[in-house]
Amino acid sequence: MSFPEALSRHCPRFQIAIELVGRRWNGVILLALARGATRYGELRDDVPGLSERLLAQRLRELEEAGVVAREVTPTTPVQIRYTLTESGAALVEAMRPLMAWADRWAAPPADQSAT
């Protein structure tokens, strides 16, 4: 049995959480929401390199997971705001030690090491 299989067998909730945070762009989207970005355009601007299609997909996934809430205001034009749920805010807090570890130990990608 591989390590991921053993881990998921013994810690299924941990596996769900780590896959949610580890999915490409999800962590950055959650951090943008924690910093106060709420509208789609703000999120798109806060996460350069993320396509609009993929941003929409990831927001739906995070909403389905219960960590992001989507609020629609029926105005002209329709206004949509995204916020962290209580669960999402707790997840961001859980990510902070990982961010501290990354600041100390993770090497930047080769194309960003000079910045």
Side-chain angles (χ1 to χ4, degrees):
M1 178 182 318
S2 71
F3 178 73
E5 289 169 343
L7 183 61
S8 65
R9 196 167 144 215
H10 296 290
C11 303
R13 290 180 179 196
F14 175 80
Q15 190 66 29
I16 290 167
I18 205 71
E19 287 177 8
L20 179 65
V21 172
R23 184 121 196 220
R24 186 171 174 116
W25 301 110
N26 280 1
V28 179
I29 293 168
L30 291 169
L31 292 175
L33 286 167
R35 286 190 308 264
T38 59
R39 307 223 22 220
Y40 185 88
E42 293 171 328
L43 290 168
R44 183 193 60 228
D45 294 345
D46 272 3
V47 187
L50 174 60
S51 72
E52 292 194 23
R53 181 189 63 78
L54 194 52
L55 174 59
Q57 179 183 348
R58 291 296 189 255
L59 285 169
R60 280 191 302 273
E61 292 169 0
L62 292 167
E63 185 180 3
E64 288 172 11
V67 295
V68 169
R70 181 178 185 261
E71 178 186 328
V72 178
T73 305
T75 58
T76 304
V78 172
Q79 290 186 359
I80 300 172
R81 294 196 176 277
Y82 297 91
T83 57
L84 292 174
T85 63
E86 182 179 352
S87 171
L91 180 57
V92 169
E93 285 306 309
M95 291 168 48
R96 292 196 189 282
L98 180 60
M99 293 173 0
W101 179 90
D103 284 343
R104 181 168 181 193
W105 297 103
D111 62 339
Q112 294 180 5
S113 60
T115 58

